Amino acid sequence: KDKREIVLEPVKNYAVALKYASARLKDDGEIVVESVKSDYRGLEFASDRLKDDEEILLEAVKQNDFALDFASDRLKDDFVFPKK
């Protein structure tokens, strides 16, 4: 749960594995980015700080627009979808 190298690989293929990571790793930007690249739902288990990170949200939205459901209130209010 708290070993970075053990958590990083599973979240690349199964984003929801982030759910079982330690709070410290849920606040690790690289791990969360890898998670949301594989599935937007990884954002649900990210730390509140990273749910408020615009770059991470953009990665998640690339997977699915529903990622916005897991974003911070600030980003929900301010987010502009990128042009496709």
Side-chain angles (χ1 to χ4, degrees), residues 3 6 15 17-18 22 24 26-28 32 44 48-50 65 67 72 76 79:
K3 296 224 184 258
I6 291 174
L18 187 60
S22 67
R24 179 180 72 89
K26 290 177 181 178
D27 194 50
D28 182 308
V32 172
E44 178 180 4
D48 289 342
R49 181 181 74 86
L50 294 180
D65 293 348
S72 69
K76 285 179 185 176
F79 190 74

Side-chain angles (χ1 to χ4, degrees), residues 55-71:
E55 291 181 26
I56 289 176
L57 180 58
L58 281 173
E59 282 298 327
V61 168
K62 286 179 187 177
Q63 296 301 316
N64 192 306
D65 293 348
F66 287 117
L68 201 53
D69 290 346
F70 303 119

Side-chain angles (χ1 to χ4, degrees), residues 4-69:
R4 192 173 196 283
E5 58 278 356
I6 291 174
V7 171
L8 186 56
E9 286 308 310
V11 300
K12 287 181 179 180
N13 298 309
Y14 183 65
V16 179
L18 187 60
K19 175 180 183 178
Y20 303 103
S22 67
R24 179 180 72 89
L25 295 178
K26 290 177 181 178
D27 194 50
D28 182 308
E30 181 184 359
I31 288 178
V32 172
V33 166
E34 290 300 326
S35 174
V36 300
K37 279 182 178 178
S38 69
D39 187 326
Y40 75 96
R41 293 175 295 175
L43 187 60
E44 178 180 4
F45 306 105
S47 69
D48 289 342
R49 181 181 74 86
L50 294 180
K51 287 179 180 179
D52 193 51
D53 184 293
E54 294 174 17
E55 291 181 26
I56 289 176
L57 180 58
L58 281 173
E59 282 298 327
V61 168
K62 286 179 187 177
Q63 296 301 316
N64 192 306
D65 293 348
F66 287 117
L68 201 53
D69 290 346

